[in-house]
Amino acid sequence: MNLTGPLDFRPKLFSALSQYSFDKFKADLIAGIVVGIVALPLAIAFGIASGVNPTVGLITAIIGGFIVSAAGGCSVQIGGPTGAFIVIVYNIIANFGLEGLAVATFMAGLILVALGMFRLGTVIKFIPYPIVVGFTAGIALTIFSTQINDFFGLGLRNVPSEFIPKWGMYISSFGSVDPATLIVGVVSLLIIVITPKLSRRLPGALLAIIIVTAVVFLIPGIHVETIGDRFGELATDIPQPHGFELNMATINRLLPSAFTIAILGAIESLLSATVADGVTGSRTDSNTELIGQGMANIVVPFFGGIPVTGAIARTMTNITNGGRTPVAGIVHAVVLFLIFLFLMPLINLVPMSCLAAVLIVVAYNMSGWRTIRALFHSPKSDISVLAVTFLLTVIFDLTIAIEMGLLLAIILFLRRVMDNIEIKVYSQKLDIAEGSESTVHEVLNVNPGVEIYEIDGPFFFGVATKFDEMMRSTLGRKPSVRIIRMRKVPFIDSTGIHNLEILIKSSQEAGIHVVLSGVKDNVREALVNAGIDRLLGEDHICDHITKAVVMANRLAPAEDAQASLA
């Protein structure tokens, strides 16, 4: 990871257009039209589920999708609103209103741009897999929970946002299920599930919306709630950009939510790009992709939009229909824009239970229950991280889940690292080939007053404490010289240096010499910068164990050592 150098921003659109052809355009045009049709019901459904007007979901897909394709680092990425953001967006609106959502989305965009500018695109991929699976499954269950009211036609208003109270209200209200609404939802669900079995190219969600909406509209006597009933006539005017208030008080309140949006967006977009690269054989510029995602999230709040990220399902639809350049993503945005201008009155007729069925299928696909089942064969620490992240996502919110999940994963990782780092103690004889691949064994005679401590692993804060405890447990022996063998120490942090400094000073006060052996160049540089060479003496830092043992034997002659031990 390099944080210096020129800005790493190379949108794939520019390189694609430099070698573009009419054949590529035909493929991108077909793919873009198909993806636009597939994205339509999802954009509307995600907007409604997030607690905003369905028009907002569509505007987000148009503007955000265009910017992600035009400025991103993946050739086939399709951007827009996704199910992963439903929970966090709904909670932000409930607590801070639409203006709070705009501010949080804007700040998340700035964070994403900063991540890309500082070349942290690859670091995001290191977030532990159990955390990703845990909060994705938690989001899926939460999305499913938000659709029960519309799917069963319970007619509830002011449903609690918290998981447990929400289900308490559902259970107490199941006696008021509307049969017509439930039938519409079940039929929609069946169409969505059966369609891929007949043809992988047919968009099941759109087919369900068209068929069910037509039936409900044409057959008299069927009365179910529609988008128009709930939201009124949807506007077809292009929204005018507007500003929002940004001050330190607002920033402090919304920064955790903005951080969650940014991390979630980065994970989902880079995961989508990685999957796409595996299918197409292309290579995503992860830093450019983050900058492109950030730019989209900076712009959409000014048009009332919700957070944008890469969408795996729509990206794969793009690939399977022949899309290979960002032009397909731009065409998808244009298709949605034309639908927004000319077909919005028809959107008013879509039953809410049909959209609920679409989101229930989305939740099922997000749940990853097969992955969870496989992870139960993993180490208990991974299962713990998954379970904690899942429960916190469901019971509390995604911000707490990600923060606590990361904290738990780091703690368990450090514990695992510490358990695998060895500190060995040698005296009298030392085989310098031990612990290496060398077959030539050379045994060094070590005087009785010399003790050798070998650290096998990084000398960071956790190991520094472990080493300090071991040193204290051997203080009663009072050796003349302590050799600290560091050939297998790849790095040392400030805590390790601090503990080493304390050890050297306490040893010197007790009349014990300290010699360092096998110090790597980067570790030596850290020690020199901290002044350890001046404290210890330059000649007491040796590059090989043989030199260290020779010096130690000279500092602790055999007869003197025997006398001190008598």
Side-chain angles (χ1 to χ4, degrees), residues 314-337:
R314 277 160 276 175
T315 298
M316 291 305 298
T317 302
N318 181 30
I319 294 171
T320 55
N321 284 278
R324 288 298 180 271
T325 79
V327 173
I330 293 174
V331 171
H332 133 271
V334 172
V335 169
L336 290 175
F337 183 58

Side-chain angles (χ1 to χ4, degrees), residues 101-432:
L101 174 64
V103 173
T105 305
F106 177 78
M107 290 196 297
L110 295 177
I111 293 172
L112 284 166
V113 169
L115 290 175
M117 290 178 64
F118 286 103
R119 303 169 186 249
L120 296 174
T122 54
V123 176
I124 297 295
K125 299 178 182 179
F126 296 150
I127 291 180
Y129 189 54
I131 292 180
V132 177
V133 174
F135 70 62
T136 302
I139 291 169
L141 179 57
T142 306
I143 293 173
F144 172 77
S145 301
T146 61
Q147 301 311 304
I148 298 299
N149 185 27
D150 290 336
F151 188 81
F152 287 92
L154 300 179
L156 300 174
R157 295 291 181 263
N158 300 319
V159 178
S161 59
E162 295 83 5
F163 182 80
I164 296 176
K166 180 184 297 177
W167 274 97
M169 179 177 283
Y170 287 159
I171 293 171
S172 63
S173 304
F174 269 121
S176 59
V177 171
D178 180 56
T181 300
L182 179 58
I183 291 172
V184 168
V186 170
V187 171
S188 302
L189 198 61
L190 290 174
I191 294 173
I192 297 170
V193 172
I194 293 173
T195 299
K197 301 181 186 301
L198 302 177
S199 173
R200 302 294 298 180
R201 290 184 176 271
L202 287 175
L206 184 65
L207 198 63
I209 287 176
I210 293 173
I211 294 173
V212 171
T213 302
V215 170
V216 171
F217 179 73
L218 295 174
I219 298 179
I222 301 179
H223 300 287
V224 296
E225 187 180 27
T226 65
I227 291 178
D229 293 334
R230 181 171 296 183
F231 295 98
E233 292 295 319
L234 299 180
T236 58
D237 299 329
I238 300 173
Q240 297 298 312
H242 58 83
F244 42 82
E245 185 178 355
L246 193 64
N247 52 54
M248 284 307 301
T250 306
I251 291 173
N252 289 335
R253 287 200 313 271
L254 290 167
L255 187 58
S257 298
F259 175 78
T260 301
I261 293 173
I263 294 299
L264 191 59
I267 293 171
E268 189 164 9
S269 63
L270 294 182
L271 179 62
S272 174
T274 301
V275 173
D277 288 348
V279 176
T280 63
S282 59
R283 184 177 179 182
T284 294
D285 185 331
S286 57
N287 295 315
T288 299
E289 181 64 17
L290 289 182
I291 294 175
Q293 298 285 341
M295 291 170 63
N297 283 287
I298 289 173
V299 173
V300 292
F302 291 98
F303 295 88
I306 58 179
V308 177
T309 187
I312 296 177
R314 277 160 276 175
T315 298
M316 291 305 298
T317 302
N318 181 30
I319 294 171
T320 55
N321 284 278
R324 288 298 180 271
T325 79
V327 173
I330 293 174
V331 171
H332 133 271
V334 172
V335 169
L336 290 175
F337 183 58
L338 294 175
I339 293 172
F340 173 76
L341 290 179
F342 302 110
L343 298 179
M344 284 304 284
L346 297 178
I347 303 299
N348 291 304
L349 305 176
V350 177
M352 292 298 300
S353 58
C354 183
L355 286 181
V358 171
L359 286 168
I360 286 173
V361 174
V362 169
Y364 174 80
N365 293 332
M366 282 183 65
S367 67
W369 61 269
R370 294 181 181 86
T371 303
I372 293 173
R373 184 176 63 183
L375 278 174
F376 272 94
H377 299 289
S378 301
K380 291 182 179 179
S381 58
D382 289 343
I383 299 173
S384 300
V385 171
L386 188 154
V388 168
T389 307
F390 173 79
L391 291 174
L392 289 174
T393 301
V394 171
I395 297 174
F396 296 99
D397 63 55
L398 197 57
T399 303
I400 296 175
I402 290 179
E403 292 172 352
M404 294 302 296
L406 283 173
L407 180 61
L408 181 59
I410 291 170
I411 291 172
L412 292 173
F413 171 75
L414 291 175
R415 178 184 172 185
R416 193 176 300 172
V417 170
M418 286 180 58
D419 289 342
N420 285 278
I421 293 177
E422 292 184 302
I423 301 175
K424 299 178 181 178
V425 182
Y426 298 94
S427 59
Q428 296 187 351
K429 292 187 180 296
L430 173 67
D431 184 352
I432 63 173

Side-chain angles (χ1 to χ4, degrees), residues 7-28:
L7 179 64
D8 188 7
F9 181 59
R10 297 184 295 271
K12 289 290 185 179
L13 178 63
F14 299 155
S15 58
L17 291 178
S18 65
Q19 300 176 339
Y20 209 54
S21 65
F22 184 68
D23 289 337
K24 287 183 178 180
F25 175 71
K26 286 195 298 183
D28 287 338

Side-chain angles (χ1 to χ4, degrees), residues 514-538:
V514 176
V515 178
L516 306 184
S517 165
V519 182
K520 296 181 181 294
D521 291 340
N522 62 309
V523 176
R524 187 186 188 96
E525 182 181 356
L527 296 177
V528 169
N529 290 336
I532 297 297
D533 58 328
R534 296 189 299 272
L535 177 65
L536 195 60
E538 184 69 29

